[in-house]
Structure formats: structure tokens, C-alpha cells
């Protein structure tokens, strides 16, 4: 599902990390990498971004035969971070009904709650990209540090 860009910003800078052949302990490295790449993002906003990134990468480990790559981009003028995770499984994530009887089923609810929007982009050959955009325009929003310095 292509996404139409309507904002006047040029393409934001993006960062990527190859995750082929990794296991869940790599989540620590993903969080460290994202924290360094997004150093100009306010700590409160960064916490939401890291949680969404962790959930998307964890889903790729648990349901998508492992993540292939994670990418992030930051658009300071609208204070938005886009997270994308590629995996080789064609199945889309779902908002499952959480249950006390079984573990899991809460990750995409967390993503849906923290992200302004999220979706899936399918690729030829059965792979996909799951993406989410986290903004800091909520009721308790703190402006991005990048905005405060402009």
C-alpha cells in the first residue's frame, strides 16, 4: 500500500541496520543504534519510538522468520519518526485480542496506541515491510529537541 506524502519537507534523512541472521538479543543493539541515530529527538518522544521499534522487530522475530532490516527516518519540522522493518514472511500483523491464558498478542496494540499511523507494504516474492510513524503532537506532547533549537 503506497503512502502519499503531502508534507512539504524534502525526504528526511534515514538510517538503516541490517538484521539478517540475528536473534532477539539484537534488540539491545537496535535500541542503542536508534538512540544514537535519533539523538536530536526529545527523550519522551524517543521512548515511544524505541518501544514501537522494539515491537515491530520482535514481531519479525516471532512471526516473520526474523527481521531483514530496520530503517528509521526523522522529519523534524513535523516532529515525526518513521520506523520500517522488513521480513520475508507474507503474513500481515494483526491486532489480536490479548488473553491472560496465552503470552503475546499485545505488541501491535502498543504500536497502534503509540503510532500516529502504521501499515504494511508488500513486496514481490512474499516479503513485506511493516511501518509505523510516531509523532509528538499528542495532548502531553513535548516538542522534539530539534524543534526547540530552531
Amino acid at each position: 500500500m503506497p503512502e502519499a506524502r503531502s508534507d512539504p519537507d524534502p525526504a528526511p534523512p534515514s538510517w538503516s541496520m541490517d538484521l539478517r541472521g540475528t536473534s532477539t538479543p539484537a534488540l539491545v543493539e537496535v535500541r542503542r543504534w536508534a538512540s544514537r541515530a535519533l539523538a536530536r529527538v526529545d527523550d519522551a518522544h524517543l521512548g515511544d519510538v524505541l518501544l514501537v521499534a522494539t515491537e515491530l522487530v520482535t514481531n519479525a522475530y516471532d512471526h516473520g522468520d526474523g527481521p531483514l532490516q530496520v530503517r528509521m527516518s526523522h522529519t523534524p519540522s513535523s516532529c515525526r519518526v518513521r520506523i520500517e522493518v522488513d521480513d520475508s514472511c507474507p503474513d500481515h500483523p494483526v491486532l489480536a485480542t490479548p488473553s491472560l491464558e496465552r503470552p503475546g498478542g499485545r505488541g501491535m496494540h502498543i504500536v497502534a496506541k503509540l503510532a500516529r499511523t502504521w501499515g504494511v507494504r508488500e513486496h514481490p516474492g512474499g516479503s513485506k515491510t511493516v511501518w509505523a510513524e510516531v509523532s509528538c503532537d499528542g495532548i502531553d506532547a513535548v516538542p522534539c529537541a530539534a524543534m526547540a533549537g530552531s
Side-chain angles (χ1 to χ4, degrees), residues 19 24 26-35 46-62 67 70 72 83-85 107-108 110-111 114 132 134:
L19 295 172
T24 52
L27 285 169
V28 172
E29 277 307 306
V30 168
R31 292 174 69 86
R32 285 184 188 142
W33 163 79
S35 295
L46 183 61
D48 289 349
V49 169
L50 295 178
L51 186 51
V52 168
T54 298
E55 292 300 333
L56 294 181
V57 171
T58 298
N59 267 1
Y61 282 121
D62 291 347
V70 60
M72 292 190 194
I83 305 115
E84 299 182 345
V85 177
M108 290 310 295
I110 292 169
V111 171
L114 295 177
V134 179

PDB file of all heavy atoms in Angstrom, residues 19 24 26-35 46-62 67 70 72 83-85 107-108 110-111 114 132 134:
ATOM      1  N   LEU A  19      19.693  -6.718   9.839  1.00  0.00           N
ATOM      2  CA  LEU A  19      19.420  -7.659  10.928  1.00  0.00           C
ATOM      3  C   LEU A  19      19.394  -9.107  10.453  1.00  0.00           C
ATOM      4  O   LEU A  19      18.990  -9.992  11.214  1.00  0.00           O
ATOM      5  CB  LEU A  19      18.083  -7.308  11.599  1.00  0.00           C
ATOM      6  CG  LEU A  19      18.050  -5.970  12.312  1.00  0.00           C
ATOM      7  CD1 LEU A  19      16.628  -5.640  12.754  1.00  0.00           C
ATOM      8  CD2 LEU A  19      18.991  -5.967  13.507  1.00  0.00           C
ATOM      9  N   THR A  24      16.918 -12.403  18.972  1.00  0.00           N
ATOM     10  CA  THR A  24      16.314 -11.360  19.807  1.00  0.00           C
ATOM     11  C   THR A  24      17.293 -10.560  20.656  1.00  0.00           C
ATOM     12  O   THR A  24      16.999  -9.398  20.944  1.00  0.00           O
ATOM     13  CB  THR A  24      15.192 -11.929  20.694  1.00  0.00           C
ATOM     14  OG1 THR A  24      15.682 -13.050  21.405  1.00  0.00           O
ATOM     15  CG2 THR A  24      13.987 -12.308  19.870  1.00  0.00           C
ATOM     16  N   ALA A  26      19.633  -9.017  19.659  1.00  0.00           N
ATOM     17  CA  ALA A  26      19.980  -7.871  18.816  1.00  0.00           C
ATOM     18  C   ALA A  26      19.071  -6.678  19.089  1.00  0.00           C
ATOM     19  O   ALA A  26      19.386  -5.552  18.691  1.00  0.00           O
ATOM     20  CB  ALA A  26      19.904  -8.264  17.339  1.00  0.00           C
ATOM     21  N   LEU A  27      17.959  -6.897  19.787  1.00  0.00           N
ATOM     22  CA  LEU A  27      17.064  -5.780  20.128  1.00  0.00           C
ATOM     23  C   LEU A  27      17.795  -4.702  20.928  1.00  0.00           C
ATOM     24  O   LEU A  27      17.520  -3.512  20.766  1.00  0.00           O
ATOM     25  CB  LEU A  27      15.854  -6.283  20.905  1.00  0.00           C
ATOM     26  CG  LEU A  27      14.805  -7.013  20.073  1.00  0.00           C
ATOM     27  CD1 LEU A  27      13.789  -7.686  20.978  1.00  0.00           C
ATOM     28  CD2 LEU A  27      14.124  -6.058  19.121  1.00  0.00           C
ATOM     29  N   VAL A  28      18.725  -5.115  21.769  1.00  0.00           N
ATOM     30  CA  VAL A  28      19.512  -4.145  22.541  1.00  0.00           C
ATOM     31  C   VAL A  28      20.297  -3.264  21.578  1.00  0.00           C
ATOM     32  O   VAL A  28      20.336  -2.036  21.739  1.00  0.00           O
ATOM     33  CB  VAL A  28      20.451  -4.866  23.536  1.00  0.00           C
ATOM     34  CG1 VAL A  28      21.396  -3.891  24.201  1.00  0.00           C
ATOM     35  CG2 VAL A  28      19.641  -5.634  24.564  1.00  0.00           C
ATOM     36  N   GLU A  29      20.904  -3.866  20.571  1.00  0.00           N
ATOM     37  CA  GLU A  29      21.665  -3.100  19.591  1.00  0.00           C
ATOM     38  C   GLU A  29      20.767  -2.193  18.760  1.00  0.00           C
ATOM     39  O   GLU A  29      21.142  -1.076  18.427  1.00  0.00           O
ATOM     40  CB  GLU A  29      22.466  -4.024  18.677  1.00  0.00           C
ATOM     41  CG  GLU A  29      23.781  -4.454  19.265  1.00  0.00           C
ATOM     42  CD  GLU A  29      24.624  -3.268  19.731  1.00  0.00           C
ATOM     43  OE1 GLU A  29      24.888  -2.326  18.938  1.00  0.00           O
ATOM     44  OE2 GLU A  29      25.002  -3.268  20.917  1.00  0.00           O
ATOM     45  N   VAL A  30      19.580  -2.669  18.419  1.00  0.00           N
ATOM     46  CA  VAL A  30      18.623  -1.840  17.669  1.00  0.00           C
ATOM     47  C   VAL A  30      18.285  -0.601  18.479  1.00  0.00           C
ATOM     48  O   VAL A  30      18.288   0.519  17.956  1.00  0.00           O
ATOM     49  CB  VAL A  30      17.342  -2.640  17.320  1.00  0.00           C
ATOM     50  CG1 VAL A  30      16.244  -1.716  16.801  1.00  0.00           C
ATOM     51  CG2 VAL A  30      17.650  -3.731  16.308  1.00  0.00           C
ATOM     52  N   ARG A  31      18.021  -0.775  19.759  1.00  0.00           N
ATOM     53  CA  ARG A  31      17.678   0.371  20.614  1.00  0.00           C
ATOM     54  C   ARG A  31      18.850   1.339  20.754  1.00  0.00           C
ATOM     55  O   ARG A  31      18.674   2.556  20.703  1.00  0.00           O
ATOM     56  CB  ARG A  31      17.172  -0.108  21.972  1.00  0.00           C
ATOM     57  CG  ARG A  31      15.819  -0.812  21.865  1.00  0.00           C
ATOM     58  CD  ARG A  31      15.386  -1.426  23.182  1.00  0.00           C
ATOM     59  NE  ARG A  31      15.051  -0.447  24.182  1.00  0.00           N
ATOM     60  CZ  ARG A  31      13.851   0.121  24.325  1.00  0.00           C
ATOM     61  NH1 ARG A  31      12.870  -0.215  23.524  1.00  0.00           N
ATOM     62  NH2 ARG A  31      13.630   1.005  25.269  1.00  0.00           N
ATOM     63  N   ARG A  32      20.055   0.811  20.922  1.00  0.00           N
ATOM     64  CA  ARG A  32      21.248   1.679  21.014  1.00  0.00           C
ATOM     65  C   ARG A  32      21.451   2.445  19.707  1.00  0.00           C
ATOM     66  O   ARG A  32      21.726   3.645  19.708  1.00  0.00           O
ATOM     67  CB  ARG A  32      22.487   0.856  21.338  1.00  0.00           C
ATOM     68  CG  ARG A  32      22.558   0.420  22.756  1.00  0.00           C
ATOM     69  CD  ARG A  32      23.860  -0.308  23.038  1.00  0.00           C
ATOM     70  NE  ARG A  32      23.825  -0.870  24.364  1.00  0.00           N
ATOM     71  CZ  ARG A  32      24.337  -2.041  24.700  1.00  0.00           C
ATOM     72  NH1 ARG A  32      24.956  -2.792  23.793  1.00  0.00           N
ATOM     73  NH2 ARG A  32      24.250  -2.482  25.932  1.00  0.00           N
ATOM     74  N   TRP A  33      21.354   1.717  18.595  1.00  0.00           N
ATOM     75  CA  TRP A  33      21.533   2.326  17.279  1.00  0.00           C
ATOM     76  C   TRP A  33      20.504   3.433  17.061  1.00  0.00           C
ATOM     77  O   TRP A  33      20.836   4.533  16.619  1.00  0.00           O
ATOM     78  CB  TRP A  33      21.426   1.221  16.220  1.00  0.00           C
ATOM     79  CG  TRP A  33      21.194   1.721  14.836  1.00  0.00           C
ATOM     80  CD1 TRP A  33      22.127   2.237  13.987  1.00  0.00           C
ATOM     81  CD2 TRP A  33      19.949   1.766  14.141  1.00  0.00           C
ATOM     82  NE1 TRP A  33      21.530   2.583  12.801  1.00  0.00           N
ATOM     83  CE2 TRP A  33      20.193   2.306  12.868  1.00  0.00           C
ATOM     84  CE3 TRP A  33      18.647   1.384  14.465  1.00  0.00           C
ATOM     85  CZ2 TRP A  33      19.191   2.490  11.924  1.00  0.00           C
ATOM     86  CZ3 TRP A  33      17.648   1.561  13.522  1.00  0.00           C
ATOM     87  CH2 TRP A  33      17.928   2.109  12.272  1.00  0.00           C
ATOM     88  N   ALA A  34      19.245   3.148  17.369  1.00  0.00           N
ATOM     89  CA  ALA A  34      18.182   4.133  17.180  1.00  0.00           C
ATOM     90  C   ALA A  34      18.404   5.349  18.081  1.00  0.00           C
ATOM     91  O   ALA A  34      18.207   6.488  17.652  1.00  0.00           O
ATOM     92  CB  ALA A  34      16.819   3.505  17.455  1.00  0.00           C
ATOM     93  N   SER A  35      18.831   5.129  19.300  1.00  0.00           N
ATOM     94  CA  SER A  35      19.087   6.249  20.215  1.00  0.00           C
ATOM     95  C   SER A  35      20.193   7.151  19.680  1.00  0.00           C
ATOM     96  O   SER A  35      20.103   8.382  19.769  1.00  0.00           O
ATOM     97  CB  SER A  35      19.472   5.731  21.600  1.00  0.00           C
ATOM     98  OG  SER A  35      18.393   5.053  22.184  1.00  0.00           O
ATOM     99  N   LEU A  46      11.439   9.869  22.101  1.00  0.00           N
ATOM    100  CA  LEU A  46      12.348   8.774  21.782  1.00  0.00           C
ATOM    101  C   LEU A  46      11.913   7.480  22.469  1.00  0.00           C
ATOM    102  O   LEU A  46      11.987   6.408  21.876  1.00  0.00           O
ATOM    103  CB  LEU A  46      13.782   9.124  22.170  1.00  0.00           C
ATOM    104  CG  LEU A  46      14.843   8.078  21.830  1.00  0.00           C
ATOM    105  CD1 LEU A  46      14.906   7.835  20.320  1.00  0.00           C
ATOM    106  CD2 LEU A  46      16.202   8.525  22.358  1.00  0.00           C
ATOM    107  N   GLY A  47      11.416   7.572  23.689  1.00  0.00           N
ATOM    108  CA  GLY A  47      10.924   6.381  24.387  1.00  0.00           C
ATOM    109  C   GLY A  47       9.811   5.698  23.618  1.00  0.00           C
ATOM    110  O   GLY A  47       9.794   4.464  23.481  1.00  0.00           O
ATOM    111  N   ASP A  48       8.879   6.475  23.072  1.00  0.00           N
ATOM    112  CA  ASP A  48       7.799   5.911  22.257  1.00  0.00           C
ATOM    113  C   ASP A  48       8.353   5.273  20.985  1.00  0.00           C
ATOM    114  O   ASP A  48       7.950   4.182  20.593  1.00  0.00           O
ATOM    115  CB  ASP A  48       6.771   6.977  21.883  1.00  0.00           C
ATOM    116  CG  ASP A  48       5.934   7.436  23.068  1.00  0.00           C
ATOM    117  OD1 ASP A  48       5.987   6.795  24.127  1.00  0.00           O
ATOM    118  OD2 ASP A  48       5.221   8.445  22.909  1.00  0.00           O
ATOM    119  N   VAL A  49       9.300   5.956  20.344  1.00  0.00           N
ATOM    120  CA  VAL A  49       9.909   5.438  19.114  1.00  0.00           C
ATOM    121  C   VAL A  49      10.602   4.110  19.391  1.00  0.00           C
ATOM    122  O   VAL A  49      10.435   3.139  18.645  1.00  0.00           O
ATOM    123  CB  VAL A  49      10.902   6.459  18.520  1.00  0.00           C
ATOM    124  CG1 VAL A  49      11.742   5.836  17.414  1.00  0.00           C
ATOM    125  CG2 VAL A  49      10.167   7.692  18.016  1.00  0.00           C
ATOM    126  N   LEU A  50      11.367   4.056  20.480  1.00  0.00           N
ATOM    127  CA  LEU A  50      12.100   2.823  20.804  1.00  0.00           C
ATOM    128  C   LEU A  50      11.146   1.679  21.109  1.00  0.00           C
ATOM    129  O   LEU A  50      11.407   0.530  20.725  1.00  0.00           O
ATOM    130  CB  LEU A  50      13.056   3.061  21.970  1.00  0.00           C
ATOM    131  CG  LEU A  50      14.196   4.036  21.704  1.00  0.00           C
ATOM    132  CD1 LEU A  50      15.034   4.227  22.963  1.00  0.00           C
ATOM    133  CD2 LEU A  50      15.052   3.589  20.536  1.00  0.00           C
ATOM    134  N   LEU A  51      10.058   1.974  21.789  1.00  0.00           N
ATOM    135  CA  LEU A  51       9.085   0.925  22.099  1.00  0.00           C
ATOM    136  C   LEU A  51       8.418   0.402  20.823  1.00  0.00           C
ATOM    137  O   LEU A  51       8.287  -0.810  20.630  1.00  0.00           O
ATOM    138  CB  LEU A  51       8.040   1.438  23.089  1.00  0.00           C
ATOM    139  CG  LEU A  51       7.035   0.414  23.616  1.00  0.00           C
ATOM    140  CD1 LEU A  51       7.721  -0.827  24.166  1.00  0.00           C
ATOM    141  CD2 LEU A  51       6.168   1.059  24.688  1.00  0.00           C
ATOM    142  N   VAL A  52       8.040   1.287  19.926  1.00  0.00           N
ATOM    143  CA  VAL A  52       7.434   0.870  18.661  1.00  0.00           C
ATOM    144  C   VAL A  52       8.443   0.059  17.840  1.00  0.00           C
ATOM    145  O   VAL A  52       8.109  -1.007  17.306  1.00  0.00           O
ATOM    146  CB  VAL A  52       6.901   2.086  17.861  1.00  0.00           C
ATOM    147  CG1 VAL A  52       6.547   1.695  16.437  1.00  0.00           C
ATOM    148  CG2 VAL A  52       5.700   2.693  18.576  1.00  0.00           C
ATOM    149  N   ALA A  53       9.683   0.538  17.759  1.00  0.00           N
ATOM    150  CA  ALA A  53      10.709  -0.201  17.008  1.00  0.00           C
ATOM    151  C   ALA A  53      10.923  -1.588  17.601  1.00  0.00           C
ATOM    152  O   ALA A  53      10.998  -2.584  16.866  1.00  0.00           O
ATOM    153  CB  ALA A  53      12.029   0.579  17.005  1.00  0.00           C
ATOM    154  N   THR A  54      10.974  -1.675  18.925  1.00  0.00           N
ATOM    155  CA  THR A  54      11.154  -2.965  19.591  1.00  0.00           C
ATOM    156  C   THR A  54      10.007  -3.908  19.260  1.00  0.00           C
ATOM    157  O   THR A  54      10.224  -5.090  18.964  1.00  0.00           O
ATOM    158  CB  THR A  54      11.270  -2.767  21.120  1.00  0.00           C
ATOM    159  OG1 THR A  54      12.421  -1.966  21.391  1.00  0.00           O
ATOM    160  CG2 THR A  54      11.392  -4.090  21.849  1.00  0.00           C
ATOM    161  N   GLU A  55       8.789  -3.411  19.292  1.00  0.00           N
ATOM    162  CA  GLU A  55       7.632  -4.260  18.995  1.00  0.00           C
ATOM    163  C   GLU A  55       7.636  -4.737  17.546  1.00  0.00           C
ATOM    164  O   GLU A  55       7.350  -5.903  17.274  1.00  0.00           O
ATOM    165  CB  GLU A  55       6.321  -3.531  19.313  1.00  0.00           C
ATOM    166  CG  GLU A  55       6.091  -3.290  20.783  1.00  0.00           C
ATOM    167  CD  GLU A  55       6.032  -4.561  21.615  1.00  0.00           C
ATOM    168  OE1 GLU A  55       5.663  -5.635  21.089  1.00  0.00           O
ATOM    169  OE2 GLU A  55       6.366  -4.499  22.806  1.00  0.00           O
ATOM    170  N   LEU A  56       7.958  -3.852  16.605  1.00  0.00           N
ATOM    171  CA  LEU A  56       7.973  -4.250  15.199  1.00  0.00           C
ATOM    172  C   LEU A  56       9.076  -5.272  14.918  1.00  0.00           C
ATOM    173  O   LEU A  56       8.853  -6.249  14.190  1.00  0.00           O
ATOM    174  CB  LEU A  56       8.135  -3.027  14.289  1.00  0.00           C
ATOM    175  CG  LEU A  56       6.982  -2.032  14.283  1.00  0.00           C
ATOM    176  CD1 LEU A  56       7.277  -0.880  13.318  1.00  0.00           C
ATOM    177  CD2 LEU A  56       5.659  -2.696  13.938  1.00  0.00           C
ATOM    178  N   VAL A  57      10.248  -5.064  15.480  1.00  0.00           N
ATOM    179  CA  VAL A  57      11.347  -6.016  15.272  1.00  0.00           C
ATOM    180  C   VAL A  57      11.034  -7.341  15.964  1.00  0.00           C
ATOM    181  O   VAL A  57      11.267  -8.417  15.400  1.00  0.00           O
ATOM    182  CB  VAL A  57      12.694  -5.426  15.748  1.00  0.00           C
ATOM    183  CG1 VAL A  57      13.799  -6.473  15.732  1.00  0.00           C
ATOM    184  CG2 VAL A  57      13.089  -4.228  14.888  1.00  0.00           C
ATOM    185  N   THR A  58      10.471  -7.286  17.174  1.00  0.00           N
ATOM    186  CA  THR A  58      10.098  -8.516  17.882  1.00  0.00           C
ATOM    187  C   THR A  58       9.075  -9.309  17.077  1.00  0.00           C
ATOM    188  O   THR A  58       9.175 -10.538  16.974  1.00  0.00           O
ATOM    189  CB  THR A  58       9.541  -8.189  19.282  1.00  0.00           C
ATOM    190  OG1 THR A  58      10.569  -7.539  20.036  1.00  0.00           O
ATOM    191  CG2 THR A  58       9.098  -9.436  20.012  1.00  0.00           C
ATOM    192  N   ASN A  59       8.094  -8.626  16.492  1.00  0.00           N
ATOM    193  CA  ASN A  59       7.106  -9.317  15.651  1.00  0.00           C
ATOM    194  C   ASN A  59       7.780 -10.024  14.486  1.00  0.00           C
ATOM    195  O   ASN A  59       7.395 -11.137  14.117  1.00  0.00           O
ATOM    196  CB  ASN A  59       6.060  -8.333  15.122  1.00  0.00           C
ATOM    197  CG  ASN A  59       4.855  -8.266  16.013  1.00  0.00           C
ATOM    198  OD1 ASN A  59       4.778  -8.923  17.038  1.00  0.00           O
ATOM    199  ND2 ASN A  59       3.904  -7.444  15.610  1.00  0.00           N
ATOM    200  N   ALA A  60       8.794  -9.386  13.893  1.00  0.00           N
ATOM    201  CA  ALA A  60       9.503 -10.015  12.776  1.00  0.00           C
ATOM    202  C   ALA A  60      10.242 -11.266  13.247  1.00  0.00           C
ATOM    203  O   ALA A  60      10.297 -12.262  12.534  1.00  0.00           O
ATOM    204  CB  ALA A  60      10.461  -9.025  12.130  1.00  0.00           C
ATOM    205  N   TYR A  61      10.808 -11.240  14.452  1.00  0.00           N
ATOM    206  CA  TYR A  61      11.457 -12.438  15.001  1.00  0.00           C
ATOM    207  C   TYR A  61      10.424 -13.523  15.290  1.00  0.00           C
ATOM    208  O   TYR A  61      10.628 -14.685  14.959  1.00  0.00           O
ATOM    209  CB  TYR A  61      12.199 -12.126  16.304  1.00  0.00           C
ATOM    210  CG  TYR A  61      13.533 -11.454  16.130  1.00  0.00           C
ATOM    211  CD1 TYR A  61      13.767 -10.206  16.696  1.00  0.00           C
ATOM    212  CD2 TYR A  61      14.564 -12.058  15.431  1.00  0.00           C
ATOM    213  CE1 TYR A  61      14.998  -9.573  16.559  1.00  0.00           C
ATOM    214  CE2 TYR A  61      15.792 -11.437  15.278  1.00  0.00           C
ATOM    215  CZ  TYR A  61      16.005 -10.202  15.846  1.00  0.00           C
ATOM    216  OH  TYR A  61      17.212  -9.582  15.701  1.00  0.00           O
ATOM    217  N   ASP A  62       9.317 -13.133  15.903  1.00  0.00           N
ATOM    218  CA  ASP A  62       8.335 -14.113  16.362  1.00  0.00           C
ATOM    219  C   ASP A  62       7.442 -14.660  15.243  1.00  0.00           C
ATOM    220  O   ASP A  62       7.028 -15.810  15.297  1.00  0.00           O
ATOM    221  CB  ASP A  62       7.434 -13.501  17.441  1.00  0.00           C
ATOM    222  CG  ASP A  62       8.172 -13.234  18.736  1.00  0.00           C
ATOM    223  OD1 ASP A  62       9.309 -13.730  18.901  1.00  0.00           O
ATOM    224  OD2 ASP A  62       7.610 -12.519  19.595  1.00  0.00           O
ATOM    225  N   PRO A  67      13.779 -10.547  11.271  1.00  0.00           N
ATOM    226  CA  PRO A  67      13.830  -9.304  10.506  1.00  0.00           C
ATOM    227  C   PRO A  67      15.001  -9.328   9.523  1.00  0.00           C
ATOM    228  O   PRO A  67      16.017  -9.969   9.773  1.00  0.00           O
ATOM    229  CB  PRO A  67      14.031  -8.236  11.580  1.00  0.00           C
ATOM    230  CG  PRO A  67      14.721  -8.953  12.691  1.00  0.00           C
ATOM    231  CD  PRO A  67      14.217 -10.364  12.649  1.00  0.00           C
ATOM    232  N   VAL A  70      15.969  -2.942   9.536  1.00  0.00           N
ATOM    233  CA  VAL A  70      15.156  -1.908  10.170  1.00  0.00           C
ATOM    234  C   VAL A  70      15.675  -0.562   9.663  1.00  0.00           C
ATOM    235  O   VAL A  70      16.884  -0.376   9.507  1.00  0.00           O
ATOM    236  CB  VAL A  70      15.193  -2.003  11.719  1.00  0.00           C
ATOM    237  CG1 VAL A  70      16.588  -1.840  12.271  1.00  0.00           C
ATOM    238  CG2 VAL A  70      14.254  -0.983  12.358  1.00  0.00           C
ATOM    239  N   MET A  72      14.908   3.834   9.906  1.00  0.00           N
ATOM    240  CA  MET A  72      14.222   4.938  10.585  1.00  0.00           C
ATOM    241  C   MET A  72      14.545   6.225   9.862  1.00  0.00           C
ATOM    242  O   MET A  72      15.634   6.389   9.326  1.00  0.00           O
ATOM    243  CB  MET A  72      14.664   5.049  12.041  1.00  0.00           C
ATOM    244  CG  MET A  72      14.219   3.911  12.878  1.00  0.00           C
ATOM    245  SD  MET A  72      14.530   4.248  14.612  1.00  0.00           S
ATOM    246  CE  MET A  72      14.304   2.609  15.251  1.00  0.00           C
ATOM    247  N   ILE A  83       9.431   4.328  11.316  1.00  0.00           N
ATOM    248  CA  ILE A  83      10.160   3.091  11.556  1.00  0.00           C
ATOM    249  C   ILE A  83       9.655   2.072  10.547  1.00  0.00           C
ATOM    250  O   ILE A  83       8.442   1.921  10.374  1.00  0.00           O
ATOM    251  CB  ILE A  83       9.921   2.556  12.986  1.00  0.00           C
ATOM    252  CG1 ILE A  83      10.265   3.610  14.041  1.00  0.00           C
ATOM    253  CG2 ILE A  83      10.714   1.280  13.228  1.00  0.00           C
ATOM    254  CD1 ILE A  83       9.082   4.049  14.830  1.00  0.00           C
ATOM    255  N   GLU A  84      10.567   1.382   9.881  1.00  0.00           N
ATOM    256  CA  GLU A  84      10.201   0.341   8.919  1.00  0.00           C
ATOM    257  C   GLU A  84      10.999  -0.913   9.232  1.00  0.00           C
ATOM    258  O   GLU A  84      12.205  -0.836   9.453  1.00  0.00           O
ATOM    259  CB  GLU A  84      10.515   0.776   7.488  1.00  0.00           C
ATOM    260  CG  GLU A  84       9.785   2.007   7.047  1.00  0.00           C
ATOM    261  CD  GLU A  84      10.082   2.390   5.599  1.00  0.00           C
ATOM    262  OE1 GLU A  84      11.071   1.872   5.022  1.00  0.00           O
ATOM    263  OE2 GLU A  84       9.328   3.197   5.048  1.00  0.00           O
ATOM    264  N   VAL A  85      10.331  -2.064   9.235  1.00  0.00           N
ATOM    265  CA  VAL A  85      11.002  -3.340   9.470  1.00  0.00           C
ATOM    266  C   VAL A  85      10.620  -4.281   8.330  1.00  0.00           C
ATOM    267  O   VAL A  85       9.439  -4.525   8.088  1.00  0.00           O
ATOM    268  CB  VAL A  85      10.610  -3.957  10.834  1.00  0.00           C
ATOM    269  CG1 VAL A  85      11.274  -5.318  11.018  1.00  0.00           C
ATOM    270  CG2 VAL A  85      11.002  -3.020  11.973  1.00  0.00           C
ATOM    271  N   GLY A 107       1.641  -6.673  21.259  1.00  0.00           N
ATOM    272  CA  GLY A 107       2.609  -5.828  20.564  1.00  0.00           C
ATOM    273  C   GLY A 107       2.000  -4.845  19.588  1.00  0.00           C
ATOM    274  O   GLY A 107       2.319  -3.659  19.607  1.00  0.00           O
ATOM    275  N   MET A 108       1.119  -5.302  18.721  1.00  0.00           N
ATOM    276  CA  MET A 108       0.542  -4.396  17.735  1.00  0.00           C
ATOM    277  C   MET A 108      -0.463  -3.439  18.370  1.00  0.00           C
ATOM    278  O   MET A 108      -0.692  -2.349  17.845  1.00  0.00           O
ATOM    279  CB  MET A 108      -0.081  -5.168  16.572  1.00  0.00           C
ATOM    280  CG  MET A 108       0.959  -5.848  15.680  1.00  0.00           C
ATOM    281  SD  MET A 108       2.324  -4.778  15.119  1.00  0.00           S
ATOM    282  CE  MET A 108       1.473  -3.594  14.096  1.00  0.00           C
ATOM    283  N   ILE A 110       0.206  -2.007  21.222  1.00  0.00           N
ATOM    284  CA  ILE A 110       1.138  -0.967  21.673  1.00  0.00           C
ATOM    285  C   ILE A 110       1.503  -0.071  20.491  1.00  0.00           C
ATOM    286  O   ILE A 110       1.493   1.160  20.600  1.00  0.00           O
ATOM    287  CB  ILE A 110       2.390  -1.600  22.313  1.00  0.00           C
ATOM    288  CG1 ILE A 110       2.008  -2.287  23.621  1.00  0.00           C
ATOM    289  CG2 ILE A 110       3.487  -0.561  22.524  1.00  0.00           C
ATOM    290  CD1 ILE A 110       3.095  -3.169  24.216  1.00  0.00           C
ATOM    291  N   VAL A 111       1.826  -0.687  19.354  1.00  0.00           N
ATOM    292  CA  VAL A 111       2.169   0.085  18.158  1.00  0.00           C
ATOM    293  C   VAL A 111       0.994   0.981  17.761  1.00  0.00           C
ATOM    294  O   VAL A 111       1.164   2.176  17.509  1.00  0.00           O
ATOM    295  CB  VAL A 111       2.570  -0.847  16.993  1.00  0.00           C
ATOM    296  CG1 VAL A 111       2.708  -0.067  15.691  1.00  0.00           C
ATOM    297  CG2 VAL A 111       3.872  -1.579  17.314  1.00  0.00           C
ATOM    298  N   LEU A 114       0.699   3.985  20.191  1.00  0.00           N
ATOM    299  CA  LEU A 114       1.774   4.983  20.186  1.00  0.00           C
ATOM    300  C   LEU A 114       2.018   5.628  18.828  1.00  0.00           C
ATOM    301  O   LEU A 114       2.521   6.740  18.751  1.00  0.00           O
ATOM    302  CB  LEU A 114       3.081   4.355  20.689  1.00  0.00           C
ATOM    303  CG  LEU A 114       3.082   3.897  22.138  1.00  0.00           C
ATOM    304  CD1 LEU A 114       4.406   3.219  22.477  1.00  0.00           C
ATOM    305  CD2 LEU A 114       2.815   5.066  23.081  1.00  0.00           C
ATOM    306  N   ALA A 132       5.598   2.158  10.855  1.00  0.00           N
ATOM    307  CA  ALA A 132       4.807   2.968  11.788  1.00  0.00           C
ATOM    308  C   ALA A 132       5.417   4.362  11.838  1.00  0.00           C
ATOM    309  O   ALA A 132       6.630   4.522  11.688  1.00  0.00           O
ATOM    310  CB  ALA A 132       4.803   2.341  13.181  1.00  0.00           C
ATOM    311  N   VAL A 134       5.612   7.652  14.350  1.00  0.00           N
ATOM    312  CA  VAL A 134       5.391   8.145  15.704  1.00  0.00           C
ATOM    313  C   VAL A 134       5.589   9.657  15.673  1.00  0.00           C
ATOM    314  O   VAL A 134       6.613  10.143  15.201  1.00  0.00           O
ATOM    315  CB  VAL A 134       6.377   7.497  16.708  1.00  0.00           C
ATOM    316  CG1 VAL A 134       6.151   8.030  18.113  1.00  0.00           C
ATOM    317  CG2 VAL A 134       6.246   5.976  16.675  1.00  0.00           C
TER     318      VAL A 134
END
